[in-house]
């Protein structure tokens, strides 16, 4: 790993602003390899250095990757004046530049990746990569095979916007139907609007899989865990849905 200024490193790891870190250095609160440091612009290689802040070890990670079970009522944003954000739910010591990979509506729950790796996020979100996302949904209205054919053929869910082929699997066709929907796009309110175009209303929506990774069943709403190395590897090279062009 290359060298990085200690004030930059600590600021990235959420220990305060550069100014605050400069003050902490002046007060002798930070040590590197057992020696209290005097300069906040000291350059270090974090992979070879033990940093203590108030005698507690600082574990540096250039990139962080989490899987969150987003609950309903929380916004997919980094900051919000009214609602709790998905980043507020990550309550461990964390980097300050984390963001959600894409968005789920406030009332949608389920799988959301959180990272500070912009390239990985781009790979997952860019439409040309055709990354599949599967949702479990409950629909007010009887969902039929005709609806499934419409999903496959594309639905004009906004003026002049037709959805790409999507898969609708009917689990139960009733007054409140239960379905799985898989799409490889992510337009605003897309699934709700696709059903709306068929005169049906989504009453519950939960993302269960993205890029071939499923929401960990051990997580409850609001809980998260770090992704495994294997999962990160998969997200860096996400499978293309149905080998579409
Ligand atoms: N489609 C929607 O309508 N809402 C979501 O949150 C995700 C997909």
């Amino acid at each position: 790993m290359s060298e990085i200024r200690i004030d930059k490193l600590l600021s990235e790891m959420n220990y305060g602003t550069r100014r605050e870190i400069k003050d902490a250095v002046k007060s002798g609160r930070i040590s590197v390899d057992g020696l209290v440091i005097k300069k906040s612009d000291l350059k270090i290689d974090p992979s070879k250095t033990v940093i203590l802040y108030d005698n507690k070890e600082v574990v540096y990670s250039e990139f962080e990757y989490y899987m969150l079970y987003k609950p309903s009522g929380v916004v997919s944003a980094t900051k919000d004046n009214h609602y709790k954000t998905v980043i507020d739910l990550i309550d461990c010591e964390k980097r300050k530049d984390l963001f959600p990979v894409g968005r789920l509506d406030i009332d949608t729950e389920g799988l959301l990746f959180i990272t500070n790796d912009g390239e990985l996020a781009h790979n997952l979100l860019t439409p040309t990569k055709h990354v599949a996302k599967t949702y479990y949904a409950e629909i007010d209205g009887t969902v039929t095979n005709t609806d499934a054919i419409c999903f496959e053929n594309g639905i004009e869910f906004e003026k002049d916007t037709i959805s790409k082929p999507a898969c609708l699997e009917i689990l139960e066709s009733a007054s409140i139907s239960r379905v799985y929907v898989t799409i490889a796009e992510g337009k605003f309110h897309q699934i709700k609007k696709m059903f709306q175009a068929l005169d049906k209303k989504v009453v519950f929506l939960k993302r269960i899989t993205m890029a071939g990774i499923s929401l960990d069943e051990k997580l409850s709403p609001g809980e998260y865990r770090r992704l495994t190395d294997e999962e990160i590897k998969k997200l860096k090279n996400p499978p293309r849905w149905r080998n579409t062009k």
Side-chain angles (χ1 to χ4, degrees):
M1 194 176 273
S2 55
E3 294 200 328
I4 176 171
R5 278 173 61 142
I6 186 100
D7 55 353
K8 181 167 190 293
L9 178 151
L10 289 169
S11 154
E12 281 179 12
M13 295 309 294
N14 235 340
Y15 281 84
T17 60
R18 296 243 190 142
R19 175 79 250 168
E20 286 163 344
I21 287 152
K22 200 170 182 181
D23 290 344
V25 168
K26 264 197 204 153
S27 315
R29 294 167 67 190
I30 299 165
S31 74
V32 166
D33 287 340
L35 293 175
V36 172
I37 61 166
K38 303 237 167 7
K39 291 178 117 193
S40 59
D41 62 357
L42 177 74
K43 282 193 166 178
I44 52 139
D45 177 346
S47 65
K48 297 185 186 144
T49 317
V50 177
I51 308 158
L52 299 185
Y53 192 114
D54 287 342
N55 290 322
K56 209 168 151 234
E57 186 168 356
V58 174
V59 183
Y60 179 70
S61 48
E62 189 177 7
F63 293 112
E64 291 181 355
Y65 306 91
Y66 301 90
M67 163 190 293
L68 170 73
Y69 185 161
K70 178 196 171 297
S72 177
V74 169
V75 287
S76 302
T78 52
K79 282 196 182 84
D80 192 90
N81 290 335
H82 301 290
Y83 295 98
K84 203 173 217 192
T85 74
V86 289
I87 303 301
D88 295 332
L89 294 173
I90 311 292
D91 55 7
C92 58
E93 279 174 19
K94 62 188 177 196
R95 292 189 57 99
K96 71 168 184 198
D97 50 2
L98 294 177
F99 60 86
V101 178
R103 281 167 195 273
L104 293 175
D105 298 338
I106 189 164
D107 58 348
T108 300
E109 43 181 84
L111 175 63
L112 192 63
F113 298 121
I114 308 281
T115 187
N116 62 317
D117 185 340
E119 192 181 331
L120 175 130
H122 176 76
N123 264 329
L124 291 172
L125 299 175
T126 186
T128 55
K129 297 273 181 179
H130 296 258
V131 172
K133 288 161 271 191
T134 300
Y135 297 80
Y136 166 76
E138 291 175 3
I139 312 297
D140 187 353
T142 311
V143 176
T144 64
N145 283 333
T146 310
D147 297 322
I149 292 167
C150 291
F151 268 69
E152 196 58 57
N153 290 341
I155 294 171
E156 185 169 6
F157 64 98
E158 271 170 5
K159 193 169 178 305
D160 299 332
T161 312
I162 297 176
S163 59
K164 300 241 162 60
C167 178
L168 173 63
E169 188 187 335
I170 302 168
L171 303 172
E172 186 184 7
S173 180
S175 56
I176 299 286
S177 300
R178 298 187 310 109
V179 299
Y180 287 136
V181 182
T182 302
I183 56 175
E185 301 176 280
K187 304 249 168 62
F188 189 54
H189 294 332
Q190 178 150 352
I191 291 180
K192 290 174 185 163
K193 285 181 180 168
M194 286 169 80
F195 277 103
Q196 203 174 19
L198 302 176
D199 276 334
K200 296 185 171 92
K201 187 172 169 21
V202 173
V203 291
F204 178 78
L205 191 60
K206 174 181 175 182
R207 181 153 69 196
I208 51 174
T209 306
M210 180 166 176
I213 296 177
S214 296
L215 180 63
D216 190 328
E217 285 176 4
K218 290 193 209 87
L219 296 177
S220 300
E223 288 185 342
Y224 64 91
R225 68 159 169 82
R226 283 182 195 268
L227 292 177
T228 63
D229 290 345
E230 207 175 308
E231 287 168 336
I232 295 166
K233 208 168 142 201
K234 195 164 188 181
L235 291 185
K236 286 188 173 171
N237 194 7
R240 206 179 165 85
W241 190 36
R242 291 171 162 179
N243 282 326
T244 37
K245 285 197 192 124

